[in-house]
Structure formats: structure tokens, C-alpha cells
């Protein structure tokens, strides 16, 4: 059964009653991750490295390879849960409520209904109110974020790069879009909120709550292309509550040092001296910035004229 509203966990008074609203409890559980870094892992060894580096949660996924990407092997999730003391999140395909049922049955702490996997249902998302475990969902704009909250998402992940190129440009664009729309909403008259809700395709009550709070009503992380301490601090200074680190971070000679540096950056994102220390001595995170064809053509065109 769908439950109305979310909970204000960032001020002194709650909009909803946590004793009666299980969704509010799930939002509170997700808030425990606020101010941390979540690392994507594909092996038990990576999970142990990430735990020792200080991440707040692990998200288990299948190793990247050809073919359809699906929910990770339950046996791998169980091995990782036994090997570490951190909360464990696992990915399910969008709309695939049976994968979500399996993940909840094996005891994951959070379920990520992830668009980074192959889609299972092009038209419908999982009804997250039917599950005890808190859900994480991706978004690219405010309307999408608030629709996922209405479906029961206890955490929103603003998603950027999906191709693993290491470029943060899409993540920055989407985070700025979400934050910019919230600032516009916060300065609106109450009479204008009805039209704004219709424009972004989000439920009025959640939009009104977002206006009242001046932020998303659930924990807000960023993901995609975050491969350096500076990237992580960038997302935090833009207003995010934390970051996701992709599994590519482990493809280096000293993954502990790199993950630890990002964790330090998230915790001290406003201190440039600590950020400078965290950024020192790290090998190049990615080979280079991948430009799409349109940007290359536009650059060449500008140089020509």
C-alpha cells in the first residue's frame, strides 16, 4: 500500500510520524549514509579494501562484461556480507520486482533499482512500498527524483556517466539541474507550485514538501565519473549528501590509497588543504576525457573560423 509523504530528517520537526509510517523509517535508515562514500565492488577482496578505506556502504554488482547486466549472484552477496561489517546494497534491474524480492530475502540492507543495469520493464518501476528494505533510485532531474520518492525511494542518486568513461560532465550537469530547480521552487509563491508540479510531472504534495525543506526530502547522492578526491568534493560542495564510487577505482596499483583519498575528500570537502593532501601521490585516475563527436566537431568548427 502506498504511503503519503516523506519525512523531514534534517530539521527539528517531522512532517510525518515515524511510528506509523514505515516509509519514514526507511528514509531515516538511508540518512545514516549521509556524509559518506559508497563503493561499488565486484569481489570479496574489493569489499575488504573498501571497508578498510572507510566507506560507509558497499554496493555489490556483477563484474562488467558482454551481454545483459543483471542482479549480482546471491552467493557473492552472502560472501561479502559475511566478510565485512558494513551495510550492503545490491543492484536490481528497473521494474524487476522479483530480483528485488530475492535481494530482500537474502538480507541486503539497501536495494538499488539501477538504470546502470539492463532494463527489465520499460514502462514501470518497482512499487518500493511493498518492501521492507530501503530503495535507492537514480534520476537526472527534479521531476524524476520526486517521482521515484513517490514510488517509495528512500534515497535518490543523481546519475551521470553510464559508460564508465571517467567523465564527470554529465553528473555535474544533472546535479546542477536538480539543485537549480530546487532553488527556483524555493522562491516560488505557493500558488505557483501547482503549475510547477505539473511542468516537472511530480506529485504536488512531494513538490510542496521539497519547497518547504529547500532540498530533496530524502538523502541525495551523486554517481558517475567520480574518480578523484576533487570530483567527490565537487559533488559535496554542489549540495549532495555523499557520492558513489564506481568499481573502476580498483583498477590501479593501490586501490586502498585512492578510495581512502575520496573518503577523506567527502568528509573534508570544504578544506582545500586536506583536499590537496588527499589528491597528492595518486596515479592518473583515468586515461583522459572522452569527448563525444558533437563536441569534437564543434571545437574544430570554432577553430576553423
Amino acid at each position: 500500500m502506498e504511503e503519503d509523504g516523506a519525512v523531514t530528517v534534517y530539521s527539528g520537526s517531522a512532517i510525518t510520524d515515524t511510528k506509523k509510517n514505515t516509509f519514514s523509517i526507511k528514509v531515516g535508515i538511508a540518512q545514516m549514509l549521509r556524509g559518506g562514500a559508497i563503493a561499488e565492488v565486484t569481489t570479496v577482496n574489493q569489499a575488504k579494501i573498501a571497508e578498510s578505506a572507510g566507506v560507509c556502504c558497499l554496493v555489490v554488482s556483477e563484474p562488467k562484461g558482454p551481454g545483459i547486466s543483471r542482479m549480482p549472484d546471491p552467493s557473492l552477496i552472502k560472501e561479502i556480507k559475511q566478510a565485512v561489517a558494513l551495510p550492503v546494497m545490491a543492484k536490481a534491474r528497473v521494474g524487476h520486482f522479483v530480483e528485488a524480492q530475492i535481494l530482500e530475502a537474502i538480507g541486503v540492507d539497501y536495494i538499488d533499482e539501477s538504470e546502470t543495469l539492463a532494463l527489465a520493464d520499460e514502462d514501470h518501476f518497482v512499487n518500493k512500498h511493498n518492501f521492507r528494505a530501503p530503495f535507492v533510485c537514480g534520476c537526472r532531474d527534479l521531476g524524476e527524483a520526486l517521482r521515484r520518492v513517490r514510488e517509495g525511494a528512500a534515497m535518490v542518486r543523481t546519475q551521470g556517466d553510464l559508460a564508465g568513461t571517467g567523465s564527470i560532465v554529465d553528473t555535474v550537469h544533472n546535479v546542477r539541474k536538480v539543485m537549480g530547480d530546487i532553488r527556483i521552487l524555493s522562491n516560488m509563491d505557493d500558488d505557483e507550485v501547482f503549475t510547477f508540479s505539473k511542468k516537472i510531472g511530480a506529485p504536488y504534495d512531494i513538490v510542496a514538501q521539497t519547497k518547504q525543506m529547500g532540498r530533496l526530502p530524502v538523502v541525495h547522492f551523486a554517481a558517475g565519473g567520480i574518480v578523484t578526491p576533487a570530483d567527490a568534493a565537487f559533488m559535496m560542495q554542489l549540495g549532495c549528501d555523499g557520492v558513489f564510487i564506481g568499481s573502476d577505482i580498483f583498477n590501479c596499483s593501490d586501490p586502498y590509497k585512492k578510495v581512502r583519498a575520496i573518503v577523506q575528500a567527502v568528509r573534508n570537502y570544504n578544506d582545500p588543504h586536506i583536499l590537496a593532501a588527499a589528491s597528492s601521490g595518486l596515479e592518473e585516475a583515468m586515461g583522459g576525457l572522452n569527448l563525444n563527436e558533437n563536441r569534437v566537431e564543434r571545437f574544430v568548427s570554432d577553430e576553423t573560423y
Side-chain angles (χ1 to χ4, degrees):
M1 179 177 178
E2 184 170 295
E3 301 173 61
D4 290 335
V7 65
T8 304
V9 289
Y10 307 98
S11 64
S13 60
I15 295 175
T16 52
D17 185 354
T18 57
K19 295 181 179 179
K20 297 180 180 179
N21 190 345
T22 57
F23 176 64
S24 298
I25 296 172
K26 289 188 282 188
V27 171
I29 294 172
Q31 194 205 2
M32 295 170 63
L33 304 179
R34 191 180 183 207
I38 299 175
E40 180 181 0
V41 299
T42 59
T43 67
V44 173
N45 185 52
Q46 290 179 359
K48 291 180 178 178
I49 292 172
E51 181 182 36
S52 62
V55 301
C56 66
C57 181
L58 303 172
V59 54
V60 183
S61 64
E62 281 190 327
K64 294 180 181 178
I68 300 296
S69 53
R70 301 181 174 87
M71 170 191 77
D73 189 324
S75 63
L76 172 62
I77 299 171
K78 291 178 180 179
E79 287 179 26
I80 290 176
K81 281 182 63 66
Q82 292 174 353
V84 300
L86 291 174
V88 172
M89 182 186 300
K91 295 183 178 182
R93 284 176 282 174
V94 169
H96 206 314
F97 55 82
V98 175
E99 284 189 349
Q101 291 170 357
I102 293 171
L103 293 177
E104 184 170 73
I106 62 176
V108 298
D109 300 286
Y110 304 88
I111 299 172
D112 186 350
E113 188 177 11
S114 180
E115 69 280 10
T116 62
L117 304 181
L119 296 180
D121 192 326
E122 294 181 341
D123 300 314
H124 305 95
F125 284 77
V126 173
N127 181 357
K128 292 161 272 289
H129 293 287
N130 291 335
F131 294 82
R132 295 185 305 276
F135 268 74
V136 181
C137 286
C139 76
R140 293 162 296 180
D141 54 52
L142 181 60
E144 195 171 7
L146 298 184
R147 289 194 295 274
R148 301 293 83 81
V149 173
R150 164 55 73 221
E151 294 162 1
M155 177 195 290
V156 166
R157 164 180 40 77
T158 296
Q159 184 68 48
D161 173 40
L162 292 173
T165 64
S167 172
I168 201 173
V169 64
D170 290 334
T171 311
V172 172
H173 175 269
N174 294 340
V175 169
R176 283 194 180 277
K177 183 172 178 56
V178 170
M179 297 303 184
D181 284 346
I182 291 175
R183 285 193 294 272
I184 292 171
L185 173 63
S186 298
N187 291 317
M188 282 183 179
D189 292 334
D190 291 341
D191 294 343
E192 298 174 314
V193 177
F194 293 98
T195 301
F196 184 77
S197 300
K198 187 180 295 184
K199 178 182 177 182
I200 66 173
Y204 168 78
D205 60 325
I206 302 291
V207 175
Q209 184 177 351
T210 302
K211 171 177 166 56
Q212 177 185 343
M213 297 172 66
R215 57 156 294 138
L216 288 177
V218 298
V219 178
H220 178 205
F221 273 52
I226 300 169
V227 294
T228 68
D231 292 340
F234 191 9
M235 295 296 100
M236 298 299 290
Q237 289 193 29
L238 286 178
C240 293
D241 295 317
V243 301
F244 280 79
I245 308 170
S247 59
D248 291 338
I249 202 78
F250 294 97
N251 298 331
C252 66
S253 59
D254 191 352
Y256 169 83
K257 185 176 182 180
K258 190 169 290 186
V259 175
R260 181 63 183 171
I262 293 178
V263 170
Q264 289 292 96
V266 170
R267 293 175 179 174
N268 303 278
Y269 62 89
N270 272 327
D271 190 328
H273 298 289
I274 294 180
L275 295 177
S279 301
S280 300
L282 299 178
E283 67 181 50
E284 193 65 31
M286 298 296 286
L289 177 64
N290 294 288
L291 297 177
N292 63 38
E293 292 182 1
N294 291 334
R295 289 182 181 170
V296 172
E297 289 173 359
R298 188 158 59 245
F299 176 78
V300 173
S301 176
D302 291 343
E303 286 294 310
T304 302
Y305 293 100

